[in-house]
Amino acid sequence: MDLPHSNSAFSWCSECCLKCLSGIPYASLIATILLYAGVALFCGCGHEALSGTVTIMQTYFDVVRSPVDALDVFTMIDIFKYVIYGVAAAFFVYGILLMVEGFFTTGAIRDLYGDFKITTCGRCVSAWFIMLTYIFMLAWLGVTAFTSLPVFMYFNIWNTCQNITLVESSNVCFDLRQYGIVSIGEEKKLCTASENFIKMCESNELDLTFHLFVCALAGAGAAVIAMVHYLMVLSANWAYVKDACRMQKYEDIKSKEEQELHDIHSTRSKERLNAYT
């Protein structure tokens, strides 16, 4: 007996779900997922790779932390770790803001003639996000280039360890002064003929740290792609909103002119009726 009522309720629920799904900004959602994945990969792997770097320098290169508050390599690594914490928090909030902007822009386009009105402030906010996203894209390009430096350094060491039998006759040395890690006055180098180099190659720290830096580099690249995706989405939304605003102004002017013509016609009809009577 309650079957028609159940069918109507199911139909109403389906229409409501379809309406909600149609309002989701899928392009912004994909860019947000890519941004979160890239930032998480960069921050997580980068943090652990920096910790592994400290272990390798202290264990195999015999680099010690300065007893005074000097700006040495360990202090720089600590600073980079705090920067990673800030980047993770900042881009988590920024991704939410861009998703909210995508929802409001999609609603503005779909409900142009409804209760939701597009304002000049909304267009300015979209333009501001475009400029900010472009700056962040350039920043992530710099981060990607910077992250490639430890990847290159660790690749050289890791590749030498993989071909240790080929370099046994020639004593190849890795000097940290070449990479600017220690000052010129300090001689911190590790040669392939030394026992520490063999231990480092046999340990898991080098292999793990190298692959963590590679993952961090991939995460930074994913963040760059996400920023480019956001730029395309924001630019398209801004153009749609701008065209929609022009169309809304045209419809307002058109309705106003039609109302004026209707008033003029009504006035003339009344004048003719009065003249006849």
Side-chain angles (χ1 to χ4, degrees), residues 25-239:
Y26 290 100
S28 297
L29 181 62
I30 293 173
T32 303
I33 294 174
L34 184 61
L35 175 64
Y36 282 169
V39 172
L41 196 63
F42 170 78
C43 294
C45 295
H47 183 275
E48 294 302 316
L50 290 174
S51 300
T53 300
V54 171
T55 302
I56 290 174
M57 287 191 301
Q58 290 179 337
T59 305
Y60 304 106
F61 284 90
D62 297 329
V63 181
V64 295
R65 186 183 291 269
S66 177
V68 296
D69 294 334
L71 190 62
D72 57 357
V73 61
F74 298 105
T75 305
M76 293 297 298
I77 288 176
D78 292 336
I79 293 174
F80 288 149
K81 287 182 178 180
Y82 285 115
V83 170
I84 285 175
Y85 301 149
V87 168
F91 278 92
F92 176 77
V93 176
Y94 191 66
I96 294 176
L97 292 176
L98 289 178
M99 271 299 297
V100 171
E101 195 274 342
F103 271 107
F104 275 104
T105 305
T106 303
I109 294 171
R110 295 184 182 276
D111 303 330
L112 177 60
Y113 302 107
D115 295 331
F116 192 94
K117 296 296 183 181
I118 304 171
T119 61
T120 305
C121 180
R123 298 196 300 273
C124 291
V125 169
S126 297
W128 171 256
F129 273 123
I130 292 174
M131 182 186 68
L132 200 60
T133 304
Y134 183 77
I135 295 174
F136 283 151
M137 184 197 68
L138 296 179
W140 275 109
L141 282 174
V143 170
T144 304
F146 182 78
T147 311
S148 63
L149 297 179
V151 172
F152 174 74
M153 182 184 68
Y154 273 102
F155 175 77
N156 290 334
I157 300 176
W158 180 80
N159 191 38
T160 304
C161 289
Q162 297 299 315
N163 300 279
I164 189 66
T165 56
L166 300 177
V167 295
E168 286 181 350
S169 57
S170 58
N171 191 20
V172 180
C173 296
F174 294 96
D175 196 340
L176 295 183
R177 293 177 296 181
Q178 297 175 343
Y179 304 101
I181 297 177
V182 296
S183 61
I184 300 298
E186 299 181 66
E187 185 178 353
K188 299 294 182 181
K189 63 181 181 179
L190 189 64
C191 299
T192 55
S194 63
E195 184 179 356
N196 277 343
F197 186 82
I198 298 175
K199 288 181 179 180
M200 183 180 64
C201 292
E202 293 176 351
S203 65
N204 294 325
E205 286 89 356
L206 178 64
D207 187 72
L208 180 61
T209 304
F210 169 59
H211 288 92
L212 284 173
F213 270 119
V214 171
C215 292
L217 179 61
V224 172
I225 297 174
M227 290 293 104
V228 174
H229 197 164
Y230 269 129
L231 278 177
M232 293 188 294
V233 172
L234 291 170
S235 301
N237 289 342
W238 185 81

Side-chain angles (χ1 to χ4, degrees), residues 246-261:
R246 290 178 178 177
M247 186 179 297
Q248 183 177 355
K249 291 180 180 179
Y250 170 75
E251 293 294 335
D252 292 341
I253 294 173
K254 183 179 178 181
S255 61
K256 184 178 180 180
E257 291 178 351
E258 290 178 351
Q259 184 64 35
E260 291 177 353
L261 290 175

